Amino acid sequence: MELGMSLRGDDASVHSITLFVALLCACLVIGHLLEKNRWFNESITPIFIGLFTGIVILLTSAGTSSHLFIFSEELFFIYLLPPIIFNAGFQVKKKQFFRNFVTISLFGAVGTLISFVIISVGCLQLFKKLDVGFLELGDYLALGAIFSATDSVCTLQVLNQDEMPLLYSLVFGEGVVNDATSVVLFNAIQRFDLSHITSSIVLEFIGNFLYLFITSTLLGVGVGLLSAYIIRKLYIGRHSTDREVALTILMAYLSYMIAELFNLSSILTVFFCGIVMSHYTWHNVTENSRVTTKHAFATLSFISEICIFLYVGMDALDIEKWGVVNKSRGTSFGVSSILLGLVLLGRAASIFPLSLISNLFKACPADKITLRQQITIWWAGLMRGAVSMALAYNQFARSGHTQRLGNAIMITSTITIVLFTTVVFGLLTKPLISFLLPMRQPSSTAGELPIDKSITEPLLANGNGNEHEQLLANGNGHVHDQESCMTIPRPTSLRMLLTVPAYTAVHYYWRKFDNAFMRPVFGGRGFTPLAPGSPTDPMVLQ
């Protein structure tokens, strides 16, 4: 009998997996057919397919269930999130990212904290007027972290990275730092006893927050450098491209799991590991491995995103959670409305004032964030997605189930806001950006000058514009920065260093240090081993 029950359970799992894989294929095909559609995008399509599938499952199961699997935050954080975040770091244009790193940090870290405070305080004050069940102080703070996590996928799919590099880097970088900050805040809230808040607890909370940020970043950089050193020294690709690709993928995943093992921010770790591996490791492997790893990471990330949104669509019709809140529909609607209003307010209170502060420290008008760009960044951060869902389940549910009224209301409100912001705001994203930022010639986009095609790298350049030498000697002791407003003297002294734009000077000395010390040890472009199977045309550093 036990054997028979086990076999029937295995059959059910096989049926569920088969149907889920078929739905993933349908998402890919339908998404391709709707690619040029003005309204739909890669996030909305799987959500609608998930909703339709949920309705079918509800009808065939007599209203007992609407999804194929039970949501597990462990499944999300351990298997689905790592490829998404790593590919974000691996594909990012590093020059633009670090050029705007201060602004990105303002939006992603400081802005998230502002939004966190507004949402937490607003929930604490407004929910008292509603009968939402028993919620503790930690639950209100957790709501602030949950709804501070943005999802800018819809906006990034509309923005063109080549035509609007400044805006794209700000939206993209802010989204990654925002997710990392929200998860770090959420973990810190769960770690501390917040029933009696004192000044020492606040200081310890801030210290723990900074510790997680710094150590997680250093761990990601360290694992990335280790992978580059191993592959450069052993040069596995001479004998086996498969082993080289496997080692690259496993080292990337290892950085994430080490961070989880030591209770660090695995998102930050794997993101910076991706940046370092794209700068060093990726250039140490053979051409075949370069193409394979680039598309493998992108494919894994793409499938993971579709899985998440597909499940969100199915889980939106979960009869158990809606059954608990059925008697408190007005309360549930009020909670969702309050949370949505606080999301809008918190986003505005963080983006527009911080943009003003950022513009005050930029001398070149072309580098300043215009009002239209600020509105786009604000809009990009209104969507809520998989991270918010996973954190909400972690705080208010156990293995996807909950019977408490307060917890059920929080889960259903999270689902409502994720669906509403992703579908409604997502559908309006393309028309809004077309209105705010009409297509222009590349020469007038984001204050950038046209790039000479003769100095651009071929397709295998990994999409990283930072690899272009932006500091070009013009033969008479000056350096021309293609993205600044003027030609500046080469910073050969401390006095000159203080008179040139900060980014140009830092970039210049970083390139010198990178070429003299880092690349000879860890490899990178220009230091690929000349061995059988290596790239046929290695580029020489200037």
Side-chain angles (χ1 to χ4, degrees), residues 46-322:
I47 286 181
F48 275 117
I49 293 177
L51 284 170
F52 177 77
T53 306
I55 294 174
V56 174
I57 296 176
L58 273 176
L59 295 176
T60 56
S61 63
T64 59
S65 177
S66 65
H67 44 70
L68 301 172
F69 302 103
I70 297 176
F71 184 87
S72 170
E73 58 271 12
E74 180 181 353
L75 171 67
F76 172 78
F77 282 108
I78 300 299
Y79 300 107
L80 296 180
L81 188 61
I84 297 175
I85 302 300
F86 178 83
N87 186 65
F90 193 76
Q91 301 289 349
V92 67
K93 288 191 174 183
K94 296 185 288 294
K95 182 184 69 64
Q96 280 292 334
F97 179 81
F98 287 105
R99 172 184 173 86
N100 303 295
F101 186 73
V102 175
T103 305
I104 289 173
S105 299
L106 273 176
F107 290 157
V110 180
T112 302
L113 292 175
I114 294 174
S115 180
F116 164 75
V117 172
I118 290 177
I119 294 175
S120 297
V121 174
C123 291
L124 184 61
Q125 297 298 322
L126 297 177
F127 282 3
K128 292 180 179 179
K129 301 178 182 180
L130 300 174
D131 184 15
V132 296
F134 181 75
L135 295 179
E136 300 177 349
L137 178 60
D139 295 325
Y140 291 110
L141 295 178
L143 285 173
I146 290 169
F147 289 100
S148 295
T150 64
D151 187 355
S152 54
V153 173
C154 293
T155 307
L156 290 175
Q157 290 172 354
V158 178
L159 295 177
N160 189 302
Q161 187 169 192
D162 296 322
E163 295 178 353
M164 292 177 280
L166 171 63
L167 185 59
Y168 188 95
S169 67
L170 291 178
V171 173
F172 172 83
E174 188 256 345
V176 176
V177 178
N178 167 276
D179 287 344
T181 306
S182 300
V183 174
V184 170
L185 275 173
F186 185 82
N187 292 337
I189 290 169
Q190 289 191 325
R191 187 175 302 177
F192 284 89
D193 181 14
L194 301 174
S195 57
H196 300 86
I197 298 180
T198 61
S199 58
S200 60
I201 292 179
V202 173
L203 292 176
E204 187 178 358
F205 181 87
I206 296 174
N208 183 263
F209 182 82
L210 295 175
Y211 166 78
L212 288 176
F213 251 93
I214 295 173
T215 53
S216 300
T217 301
L218 293 177
L219 176 61
V221 172
V223 175
L225 292 176
L226 178 62
S227 68
Y229 183 80
I230 292 175
I231 291 179
R232 172 174 167 76
K233 286 298 182 181
L234 299 181
Y235 201 60
I236 303 172
R238 287 179 299 178
H239 307 294
S240 175
T241 301
D242 296 339
R243 292 182 182 178
E244 190 174 49
V245 173
L247 182 61
T248 304
I249 296 175
L250 290 176
M251 288 290 287
Y253 189 64
L254 180 64
S255 68
Y256 188 92
M257 294 311 300
I258 292 177
E260 286 288 322
L261 180 64
F262 291 101
N263 295 319
L264 301 177
S265 175
S266 49
I267 292 180
L268 271 179
T269 297
V270 77
F271 176 71
F272 279 98
C273 180
I275 291 179
V276 172
M277 290 183 72
S278 69
H279 189 65
Y280 296 108
T281 310
W282 191 76
H283 293 282
N284 294 341
V285 300
T286 62
E287 284 191 32
N288 290 335
S289 297
R290 291 186 188 185
V291 176
T292 303
T293 53
K294 175 184 177 181
H295 291 289
F297 289 133
T299 302
L300 291 173
S301 173
F302 185 61
I303 293 176
S304 297
E305 290 180 359
I306 294 179
C307 287
I308 293 169
F309 285 110
L310 184 62
Y311 185 87
V312 168
M314 289 188 291
D315 196 60
L317 302 174
D318 187 8
I319 197 68
E320 180 191 53
K321 302 180 184 66
W322 291 107

